[in-house]
Amino acid sequence: MALTPLEVEAIMLSLRVAGWAVLVSLPLGIAVAWLLARYRFPGHSIVNGLVHLPLVLPPVVVGFVLLLLLGRQGPLGAWLDDWFGITLAFTWQGAAVASAVVSFPLMVRAIRLSIEGMDQRLETAARTLGAPPVWVFLSISLPLMAPGVLTGTILAFARCLGEFGATITFVSNIPGETRTLPLALYTYTQVPGGLDGAFRLMVIAIVIAFAALVASELLARALRRRLEG
Amino acid sequence: MLTVDARLSRGEFALDAAFSAETAGVIALFGASGAGKTTLVDAIAGLVRPHEGRIALGDRVLFDSGAGIDLRPERRRIGYVFQDGRLFPHLSVRGNLLYGRRFAPRERRFATLERIADLLGLEAMLTRRPGTLSGGERQRVALGRALMAQPDMLLMDEPLAALDVPRKAQVIDYIERLRDEMGVPIVFVSHAVDEVARLAGTVVVMAQGRVAAAGPAADVMARLDLDPLAGIEAAGAVLEATVESHDAAYGLTLLAVPGGTLRVPRLGLEPGRRLRVRVRARDVSLATAEPRETSVLNVFRGRVVEIGPRRGASVDVAVDIGARLTARITARSADALALAPGRAVYALVKSVAVDPASLVQAEQDDI
């Protein structure tokens, strides 16, 4: 079965949105996970709570908050527009932001677990060999937490591909701009005679999700082999 | 010259240690578990900060609470070989060895990969991962890795403690080669007398967080008054033994040790039980002909490995009976018997001399 141009468009858009969302939130996710795992500071629980909030809030609420903050009239949105000419509302970049926020807790949790499971004494050993802290992080900590980073990235990517509520609330359902695969599927179900199209998208979604899982499993296995020798 | 003066307290434990030592060869930090040896080397490495004190290596001040100096570990140029090796699991042996090289000033580089690999016998394993190495190989790589950072001094915190006896012997050979060929001063932490006796030129004895004695190895080790302080019998050997059987009629227990059977006063242990027996050097005598009609039950055939330096009237003679046994005999006897390395001898151990308190059950030992 050949894909129709509309399907290709939805798939490519979904991959682009999820890809950018994960790419941009990854450094921040590592930083926040590191902060939560390694430091005890006043407000630790508050930061932890804020990070996890999107996990328990209805996505529609997240989308609405984003609309209020980042919409063209919103305080942050207006500032971004004035200073950088960046518009997030009703653009695919906005869809990426919505996905990133919703998937962020999953990413942070997985990375934090791997940081907490890491043998800190290896970092100490690296410092006695003359390595400054930044180099220790890049050459020892980061490779050792790579399996957790990978898991977090895949989880977040999958969550982004499935993102619906926050996206439709924040950036609406604009063909070619914000109509990702789940939104396209939803749209099909809302029009008469759209069930065939919806069915095809469902199959595509399952194939993509499954491929991502298999790829991550293979990667994780390769990483573990590297670590264990 | 290494000058250390460090005071700190952590809960029940208080460290108040000061010594200075020439940095030629090996300085042994010797003492029972909990004496503060590791805390002290951690302070030298910069991993633990003393509340007050001063630590200097030659004219380089590493720590001085009065002057507000506290170099970070990566600035101290002090190599550290940990008890557990701590190799980087994601790097090959070569990657581990080369890790610290880039941080060493170019003009100070004395250790090259070729030289270190050759010295420690690592050539064949350069491409392997730490996960595939045996315990002894791992410690050799850890030694090489610390040296490749071109340190001014090397700290070793019980680097042999996690190894079994044959591997211990192998790694200690390599440490000896490092000592003799690299010219890097070594601080060697240990609670094993034989290791200290073999490696160290200077011994610092620690007990309860304080320095109980410090000085040239021969002088310090000969001070038998330090035994209770160090919690260890200073001169002697440790044999790995297995309970073989009991001789009920005479109240004896037969222990299988390397080189034969050791009869000791009866022990309340099951046959098959493993333990270590410490045989004090002064309880071992030597004979060059097979002794007959002697009251001594334990006679082992062996060969002289090494004759220690003379201390007063006595010398310590190391004899290989399958394991190392040390005999403390008079220098006069040594000369009369013409003892020399390689000479076949019989080592006699009086059964009653083996003090039940010197038997350490392997499971309970912290080695």
Side-chain angles (χ1 to χ4, degrees):
Chain A
M1 68 178 210
L3 297 174
T4 69
L6 271 177
E7 286 164 355
V8 172
E9 188 182 80
I11 292 167
M12 294 316 288
L13 181 64
S14 277
L15 292 176
R16 183 172 8 136
V17 165
W20 276 101
V22 168
L23 207 67
V24 171
S25 59
L26 189 57
L28 189 66
I30 293 173
V32 170
W34 188 265
L35 188 75
L36 289 173
R38 285 289 172 88
Y39 297 96
R40 286 289 168 269
F41 51 91
H44 187 275
S45 327
I46 294 174
V47 173
N48 193 34
L50 275 175
V51 167
H52 283 83
L53 207 52
L55 201 61
V56 286
L57 276 179
V60 181
V61 173
V62 175
F64 191 59
V65 170
L66 288 176
L67 189 62
L68 291 180
L69 283 176
L70 295 170
R72 215 160 293 189
Q73 269 80 52
L76 274 175
W79 179 77
L80 280 175
D81 198 13
D82 289 349
W83 286 88
F84 303 103
I86 296 172
T87 312
L88 293 175
F90 308 114
T91 62
W92 72 265
Q93 289 93 337
V97 170
S99 295
V101 170
V102 170
S103 64
F104 197 62
L106 294 172
M107 180 184 277
V108 170
R109 280 176 80 91
I111 298 175
R112 181 178 169 179
L113 273 178
S114 74
I115 295 172
E116 285 168 349
M118 188 188 343
D119 187 353
Q120 262 179 271
R121 295 173 313 165
L122 293 174
E123 296 168 352
T124 309
R127 292 191 68 187
T128 65
L129 293 168
V134 174
W135 185 256
V136 173
F137 177 79
L138 292 175
S139 64
I140 305 295
S141 321
L142 210 49
L144 290 180
M145 60 200 247
V149 171
L150 177 73
T151 309
T153 305
I154 300 287
L155 272 175
F157 187 76
R159 177 68 187 85
C160 288
L161 283 180
E163 216 312 293
F164 180 83
T167 308
I168 203 165
T169 314
F170 179 35
V171 293
S172 187
N173 183 3
I174 303 162
E177 183 70 31
T178 66
R179 183 174 290 170
T180 55
L181 205 144
L183 269 67
L185 200 157
Y186 169 76
T187 310
Y188 271 126
T189 63
Q190 298 303 301
V191 297
L195 280 185
D196 281 354
F199 184 80
R200 287 170 61 92
L201 285 176
M202 177 197 81
V203 173
I204 292 166
I206 291 172
V207 168
I208 292 176
F210 196 72
L213 281 179
V214 170
S216 80
E217 179 60 34
L218 291 177
L219 255 171
R221 217 178 288 171
L223 271 177
R224 268 202 302 277
R225 249 204 316 275
R226 233 181 107 77
L227 283 182
E228 283 156 18
Chain B
M1 179 70 89
L2 171 69
T3 321
V4 176
D5 174 14
R7 285 177 293 283
L8 69 86
S9 57
R10 259 190 320 213
E12 295 280 286
F13 176 76
L15 180 77
D16 183 356
F19 71 90
S20 61
E22 288 298 334
T23 46
V26 173
I27 302 168
L29 273 185
F30 176 53
S33 303
K37 305 182 299 282
T38 298
T39 311
L40 194 57
V41 285
D42 278 356
I44 297 173
L47 305 181
V48 161
R49 180 189 306 203
H51 297 158
E52 352 165 60
R54 186 172 186 279
I55 299 170
L57 179 59
D59 51 8
R60 277 186 74 215
V61 178
L62 306 176
F63 177 82
D64 188 337
S65 57
I69 297 172
D70 182 13
L71 289 188
R72 283 172 292 166
E74 63 267 26
R75 294 291 194 76
R76 296 199 175 195
R77 299 209 304 262
I78 303 270
Y80 201 138
V81 178
F82 298 91
Q83 190 171 329
D84 48 358
R86 299 197 197 176
L87 300 182
F88 305 132
H90 58 300
L91 300 178
S92 65
V93 168
R94 179 195 298 277
N96 271 279
L97 289 173
L98 290 175
Y99 188 86
R101 209 174 107 88
R102 76 194 90 227
F103 308 111
R106 199 168 291 275
E107 69 278 5
R108 303 197 56 267
R109 291 185 186 171
F110 56 89
T112 61
L113 185 64
E114 293 71 30
R115 183 161 175 214
I116 294 298
D118 176 51
L119 194 63
L120 293 167
L122 304 174
E123 296 97 338
M125 53 180 103
L126 286 176
T127 55
R128 286 167 66 189
R129 299 246 165 221
T132 66
L133 302 178
S134 72
E137 289 170 335
R138 246 175 258 172
Q139 281 310 58
R140 276 151 60 194
V141 175
L143 286 172
R145 183 179 70 171
L147 276 173
M148 286 293 292
Q150 326 289 328
D152 291 348
M153 189 167 75
L154 210 51
L155 306 174
M156 300 186 186
D157 185 11
E158 310 223 9
L160 309 173
L163 305 178
D164 55 21
V165 173
R167 299 216 190 283
K168 247 182 213 164
Q170 185 203 45
V171 174
I172 206 166
D173 285 345
Y174 282 110
I175 294 177
E176 214 162 36
R177 291 179 71 178
L178 290 186
R179 178 194 64 187
D180 298 340
E181 293 181 31
M182 294 305 292
V184 180
I186 296 172
V187 173
F188 183 88
V189 172
S190 178
H191 66 265
V193 190
D194 44 349
E195 293 171 10
V196 171
R198 180 159 166 199
L199 291 172
T202 307
V203 175
V204 176
V205 180
M206 293 198 63
Q208 280 122 44
R210 293 171 169 274
V211 172
D219 299 353
V220 175
M221 301 298 280
R223 278 179 57 184
L224 291 171
D225 61 308
L226 290 172
D227 293 7
L229 275 178
I232 304 170
E233 188 69 42
V238 176
L239 299 178
E240 297 281 336
T242 311
V243 177
E244 212 169 37
S245 60
H246 299 288
D247 179 352
Y250 287 107
L252 294 173
T253 293
L254 279 64
L255 300 173
V257 296
T261 303
L262 183 69
R263 290 174 179 80
V264 299
R266 171 141 198 165
L267 304 169
L269 292 173
E270 301 290 322
R273 188 67 179 269
R274 294 182 52 224
L275 53 110
R276 296 198 176 97
V277 189
R278 206 162 270 139
V279 181
R280 284 169 298 194
R282 61 166 195 251
D283 295 329
V284 181
S285 16
L286 297 178
T288 45
E290 183 161 15
R292 294 171 200 281
E293 300 176 5
T294 163
S295 68
V296 177
L297 291 175
N298 303 302
V299 180
F300 300 98
R301 287 183 63 155
R303 246 165 224 295
V304 174
V305 180
E306 182 180 357
I307 299 178
R310 184 168 162 178
R311 301 169 190 167
S314 67
V315 290
D316 283 356
V317 179
V319 179
D320 186 358
I321 58 160
R324 214 174 151 103
L325 208 57
T326 310
R328 180 166 290 176
I329 60 176
T330 60
R332 187 177 179 279
S333 305
D335 284 340
L337 294 173
L339 294 184
R343 184 110 158 80
V345 288
Y346 293 87
L348 290 73
V349 182
K350 282 187 81 168
S351 293
V352 292
V354 180
D355 177 4
S358 78
L359 304 173
V360 186
Q361 291 180 28
E363 286 80 1
Q364 292 166 1
D365 204 331
D366 58 355
I367 286 174

